[in-house]
Amino acid sequence: MTDNQVVDVQECDSLVVGGGVGGVAATLAACRAGYRVHLAEETAWLGGQMTSQGVSALDEHAHIEQFGGTRSYAAFREGVRHYYRHNLTPTGNTEGRFGYFNPGDGWVSRLCFEPKVGVGVIATMLLPYVASGALDIHYRFKPVATRVKGSRVCEVQLQRNGGSAQLAIRATYVIDATELGDLLPLTGCNWVSGAESRDQTGEPGAREQGLAPHLNQTYTYPFVVDFRAGEDHTISPPPNYEKLRDEQPFTLTLRYGTEDKTYKVFEDVPDLPGSFWAYRRILATSQFAKGEVPGDLSMINWPGNDFKGGDLITASAADRGRLLTEAKALSLSFLYWLQTEVPRDDGSGNGYPELRLRTDVLGTADGLSMYPYIRESRRIVALTTVKEQDVSAEFQDGARARRFPDSVGLGWYPIDIHGLPDDPAKGGAAKPFQIPLRSLVPRGGDNLLAGAKNLGVTHITNGCYRLHPVEWNVGEAVGELAAFCLSRRVGPERVAGDEALLWSFQKQLVASGIPLFWFTDVPLEHPAFASVQRLAAAGALQASDDHLLFEPDEIMGQDDALVLRQRAEVGKDTIPTGVTRAEATARVQDRLDTDGNS
């Protein structure tokens, strides 16, 4: 953007660039704190991987209905369920396979839904701030340039996709929540992409030779299909269909450890969790009154349409366009294979021409997602980088991953790496982990924060930090951080390095419904939630190595009481004998806050 171009210049407290999962959460947090916010999103939908990227079968953990997500994330999930309860008639089957109402009853997630419903819920959550004038949303705008002074981002320049409209926004804090970390190279922030080497990170699972910037995880164009008995909806074979089919390859057989197992399209298979069809089914007729839903909708996001043909981050602008076109052709080729070549469940032949590509579900004419499902972004060189050894079950013996005293949230998901063919990184189980504040703050930065998958993780740990509830928590935490810094007139590095400020910031997070430590039996609505979370994050509470429970109604034992008094530096009179663990934590927190540590 040249100096002689006329642009609309606007100012705000916080600018969020990228309206995906993290960007939405960051915007909500900054707005509810009372600050003026601008949000820029390059597509027509907010919500990222849960909407515009088509993955509306949320990748979560087993505790998510009670614990392990933020209050606003729970509000989003409840908003989705409310929509279906209000507009359709759930049946007696709505407890589904997990015991909770799941509109799609998919087996990969406790909550599967149509992407457009997620778009509507997000709009409802943001509406009060738009109506009050606290929030401006700029759809179809992406960053093209910045103005930086020293280590401070003074201005971000945006341009409308496919047009000449230009906008410059000056903000006290700037949050990069783009899908690929596109703001980082524009600001001069130090960043990395791809796979690090073992020498760089010390990770046992990292590659032996140096940094490979192109080895980012694969990306995918999901699509949605229904089944129309007796009809033929076979599409034309895309270019290079046979080549793509054989190289991918297209198959319903997956490797589990050392064993290959084959799914059927519609029928369940013993020792497998369900059918291919029900994997990411986003709408199920079984969940609603007869005739209200014409048929199931299944979202197809499978290894068969994971694109391995090139990396978007290291590609030139021209190559990026070509890669996206090829990725779309791959997804359509996988659909064609399902329609013509996949073995039918009854052994009667091959292909299901009855599968119909739905072009009315994802907001696009071609039926593919509005934006590719992105698994890996550029990543900031942060004050702290989370490594494989910090979270992997192979290196963490207890019930939880490494404790970070500057925790600003939680997550739990396997290290799930959809790698390119020459990527040696392997996935594996992870322990329930924390999100350290220092992983959201760039080294040497001033007012730029990471608000999505671009936080301080490695190529390996990105595999468990990239999922829906974790990205939401990352975004919400940096939105809260920007608000805290504005109110206290301090910088993010100061908050990360000052014990008293960190204690106060964590108090703010907990008050906003953001858990900091894994105690699954003290959920958000529990009276002891705030005190347990704050003291556990500070390391004042003992946590069992065998389970994730706090046991708040148990009487505080002498050993636990001694540890709590010593770590919190309070006298014996603060914890009289015979009180429950919940009461003990409440008394200690009150004493600490009264002593001026609030």
Side-chain angles (χ1 to χ4, degrees), residues 179-488:
E179 297 302 327
L180 292 168
D182 286 335
L183 199 56
L184 302 182
L186 298 177
T187 62
C189 176
N190 290 325
W191 57 273
V192 297
S193 72
E196 299 92 345
S197 71
R198 198 172 303 166
D199 288 342
Q200 292 170 307
T201 66
E203 295 173 303
R207 53 188 275 114
E208 293 186 8
Q209 287 78 33
L211 179 68
H214 69 286
L215 287 185
N216 291 289
Q217 290 196 57
T218 59
Y219 45 97
T220 307
Y221 272 104
F223 56 91
V224 174
V225 291
D226 62 5
F227 183 85
R228 306 288 293 179
E231 299 178 7
D232 186 343
H233 293 278
T234 307
I235 65 172
S236 300
N240 298 320
Y241 165 71
E242 289 83 4
K243 181 174 183 290
L244 293 171
R245 176 197 62 197
D246 298 339
E247 288 181 351
Q248 197 66 3
F250 295 156
T251 180
L252 297 189
T253 299
L254 300 182
R255 171 63 59 93
Y256 289 89
T258 59
E259 187 178 357
D260 288 339
K261 295 187 177 183
T262 302
Y263 288 86
K264 289 191 173 183
V265 178
F266 295 103
E267 295 180 12
D268 289 348
V269 177
D271 299 325
L272 285 174
S275 67
F276 169 80
W277 180 256
Y279 170 51
R280 290 189 184 269
R281 182 172 51 199
I282 59 174
L283 193 63
T285 58
S286 64
Q287 302 298 90
F288 303 98
K290 186 176 181 179
E292 284 192 341
V293 176
D296 289 2
L297 295 178
S298 187
M299 184 265 291
I300 309 302
N301 172 31
W302 190 257
N305 57 329
D306 281 358
F307 184 70
K308 307 172 186 175
D311 172 50
L312 292 175
I313 293 174
T314 55
S316 65
D319 284 342
R320 182 179 286 194
R322 174 184 57 79
L323 292 173
L324 294 178
T325 298
E326 292 177 0
K328 289 183 177 184
L330 173 65
S331 285
L332 292 174
S333 293
F334 187 53
L335 169 61
Y336 183 76
W337 179 79
L338 292 170
Q339 292 173 326
T340 62
E341 294 195 51
V342 68
R344 291 181 73 95
D345 291 349
D346 60 5
S348 62
N350 296 85
Y352 285 93
E354 304 96 328
L355 294 177
R356 177 176 63 168
L357 176 63
R358 291 291 295 265
T359 58
D360 58 341
V361 177
L362 292 171
T364 60
D366 61 11
L368 302 175
S369 60
M370 193 174 292
Y371 196 90
Y373 171 37
I374 300 296
R375 295 183 175 91
E376 189 165 354
S377 169
R378 297 175 179 89
R379 307 182 297 278
I380 62 169
V381 177
L383 299 179
T384 290
T385 298
V386 182
K387 300 176 182 178
E388 178 186 14
Q389 308 94 300
D390 299 327
V391 298
S392 171
E394 186 176 351
F395 304 103
Q396 295 291 317
D397 294 330
R400 302 164 183 81
R402 171 189 171 186
R403 188 182 79 83
F404 287 101
D406 61 337
S407 172
V408 293
L410 304 177
W412 191 11
Y413 202 79
I415 299 174
D416 182 20
I417 298 176
H418 292 235
L420 293 173
D422 55 342
D423 185 356
K426 305 298 181 185
K431 294 294 178 72
F433 55 80
Q434 296 172 305
I435 304 166
L437 170 62
R438 292 170 60 86
S439 71
L440 311 180
V441 182
R443 289 185 193 173
D446 188 331
N447 66 332
L448 178 68
L449 299 168
K453 296 180 284 290
N454 55 348
L455 73 161
V457 292
T458 66
H459 172 62
I460 292 176
T461 53
N462 164 77
C464 60
Y465 275 78
R466 64 178 174 81
L467 290 312
H468 299 79
V470 187
E471 184 184 342
W472 184 288
N473 197 151
V474 166
E476 189 167 4
V478 297
E480 289 277 356
L481 179 59
F484 184 84
C485 291
L486 284 163
S487 67
R488 297 297 183 100

